Amino acid sequence: MAEQKRDYYEVLGVEKSADEAAIKKAYRVLAKKYHPDMNPGDAEAEKKFKEASEAYAVLSDPEKRRQYDQYGHAAFDGAGGAGGFGGFDFNGADFGDIFGDIFGDLFGSGRRGGGRGNGPMKGANIRTSVRISFEEAVFGVEKEIELTLKDECTSCHGMGAKPGTSPETCSKCGGKGQVVFTSQSFFGTVRNVQTCPDCHGTGKVIKDKCPDCRGTGYIANKKKIQVSIPAGIDNGQCVRIRDKGEPGTNGGPRGDLLVEVVVGRHPIFQRQDENIYSTVPMSFAIASLGGEIVIDTVDGRVIYEVKAGTQTDTKVRLKGKGVPSLRNKDVRGDHYVTLVVQVPDRLSHEAKELLKQFDECTGDSLNAAKNITSDASDEPVGGSGKKKKRFKL
């Protein structure tokens, strides 16, 4: 008994109302996933590839799709030929664009990379890092870094050939920088355009290499580069310096230098986006009576007037004392300060007595527990017969 075919729309994972672009996109995904060259020896993958290809051949053709929508699989029973799957005829099915993409992915070239040839190409980017302080990140800074960069060889002027000689046209690609390879696929012979392995896409071959650069055309030199780090930059962000990366090929421009900024920690300040946070202690007397305290900011010390009766963990905002915005230098974040009442852990005898007198004047809260528990060892509490217990911290 022959295996029952699945619905073509179900095979591609599209709705019956899907347009041509959606059908092609769905098939491209499945074809790349299950192509035999990507799954050698996998019979199940090959089966799914054939199933998806058959579904696409029908649904991508308006007339065949109309027949399938009307009659289903019965519309093509007995229509097979030697080139089909399970009796299905693939004549007229347009796989050109899709297989150009697929084989480009499989073999590293194809239609999308075919036009590049030996034309100018931009050099690769270089990444490095620089460490700066918290304050330098806030206000910006100029830093000098030292890197080893490639420069054009002064002996051969970047040609790579020994002085007095010249590069020759590559015989393998005829100076085009590309060669055409053919490969056998499930659908027959496929032509693939790839970078020439002899000249590496340059179209030229160097017989006598320059002794100074060994045929590369470049000499590595140590260089000092100034990096302008903008105000407001944060940890992990990069500064891009144009044309300071690797040299280009075939006359292409240099790549860029990407400098990652590593910001050091601050002993007092913490940063979140464009705002700064810190904690400032204040005495019990200042918290109770009010008065002036000194707050450190990135702009220096400021005097802040504490209101009488300020509680611990009170937060205050110093507007415009935060970090400048990278997008708008005229805009700065704020500085948020948490005020914490500082309790002294060492008191003189005189200070202790004065503190007790102060407590008595404000309600005698220190002695309240003593008054309640003075006879706790002799008297039961609340008539329960249980005696109070004293606890020491």
Side-chain angles (χ1 to χ4, degrees), residues 137-139 230-233 271 273-276 298-299 317-335:
V138 173
F139 297 109
I233 198 164
R271 175 180 174 178
D273 298 327
E274 293 163 4
N275 296 323
I276 294 176
V298 291
D299 295 313
R317 174 191 178 197
L318 303 180
K319 189 175 181 180
K321 292 294 183 181
V323 180
S325 170
L326 276 174
R327 297 181 179 179
N328 188 347
K329 302 302 179 184
D330 296 328
V331 176
R332 287 185 64 175
D334 302 323
H335 186 160

Side-chain angles (χ1 to χ4, degrees), residues 227-243:
V227 183
S228 296
I229 299 175
I233 198 164
D234 207 349
N235 185 60
Q237 292 181 323
C238 287
V239 176
R240 181 185 292 270
I241 304 177
R242 302 287 181 184
D243 303 324

Side-chain angles (χ1 to χ4, degrees), residues 149-167:
L149 298 176
K150 293 179 181 178
D151 287 321
E152 184 180 282
C153 176
T154 56
S155 297
C156 66
H157 304 289
M159 299 297 292
K162 183 179 179 180
T165 66
S166 299

Side-chain angles (χ1 to χ4, degrees), residues 289-311:
L289 304 176
E292 295 180 343
I293 61 172
V294 176
I295 297 178
D296 289 317
T297 73
V298 291
D299 295 313
R301 291 185 169 184
V302 299
I303 303 298
Y304 181 79
E305 186 72 27
V306 178
K307 296 180 180 180
T310 297
Q311 303 297 308

Side-chain angles (χ1 to χ4, degrees), residues 83-323:
F85 300 118
F88 184 81
D89 183 8
F90 280 86
N91 290 331
D94 181 15
F95 293 93
D97 289 341
I98 292 180
F99 285 133
D101 290 341
I102 292 175
F103 286 102
D105 290 342
L106 291 176
F107 303 109
S109 61
R111 292 167 54 94
R112 289 175 290 181
R116 180 178 295 174
N118 59 347
M121 292 183 60
K122 184 177 180 178
N125 294 334
I126 296 176
R127 297 187 70 96
T128 187
S129 62
V130 62
R131 291 184 174 272
I132 63 174
S133 67
F134 187 93
E135 289 84 357
E136 289 173 335
V138 173
F139 297 109
V141 67
E142 292 286 330
K143 287 288 185 179
E144 185 179 77
I145 60 176
E146 187 174 73
L147 290 175
T148 299
L149 298 176
K150 293 179 181 178
D151 287 321
E152 184 180 282
C153 176
T154 56
S155 297
C156 66
H157 304 289
M159 299 297 292
K162 183 179 179 180
T165 66
S166 299
E168 300 178 3
T169 301
C170 178
S171 59
K172 189 174 186 67
C173 65
K176 296 179 180 180
Q178 295 177 327
V179 290
V180 178
F181 288 94
T182 59
S183 60
Q184 295 298 321
S185 75
F186 190 82
F187 288 91
T189 302
V190 178
R191 290 164 55 88
N192 297 282
V193 180
Q194 299 181 6
T195 300
C196 177
D198 288 3
C199 66
H200 305 289
T202 64
K204 300 288 184 179
V205 175
I206 301 173
K207 293 290 183 67
D208 296 320
K209 296 182 179 180
C210 173
D212 292 340
C213 66
R214 298 181 181 179
T216 63
Y218 301 100
I219 298 291
N221 295 315
K222 284 189 176 182
K223 286 190 174 183
K224 293 182 178 180
I225 299 175
Q226 290 293 124
V227 183
S228 296
I229 299 175
I233 198 164
D234 207 349
N235 185 60
Q237 292 181 323
C238 287
V239 176
R240 181 185 292 270
I241 304 177
R242 302 287 181 184
D243 303 324
K244 292 296 183 181
E246 294 285 356
T249 56
N250 300 324
R254 297 184 75 106
D256 300 330
L257 174 62
L258 304 177
V259 183
E260 182 181 359
V261 176
V262 180
V263 181
R265 291 188 177 184
H266 196 278
I268 298 176
F269 306 134
Q270 292 84 43
R271 175 180 174 178
Q272 183 175 342
D273 298 327
E274 293 163 4
N275 296 323
I276 294 176
Y277 298 84
S278 66
T279 300
V280 175
M282 60 179 176
S283 67
F284 179 74
I286 292 290
S288 300
L289 304 176
E292 295 180 343
I293 61 172
V294 176
I295 297 178
D296 289 317
T297 73
V298 291
D299 295 313
R301 291 185 169 184
V302 299
I303 303 298
Y304 181 79
E305 186 72 27
V306 178
K307 296 180 180 180
T310 297
Q311 303 297 308
T312 192
D313 287 337
T314 296
K315 291 178 174 57
V316 299
R317 174 191 178 197
L318 303 180
K319 189 175 181 180
K321 292 294 183 181
V323 180

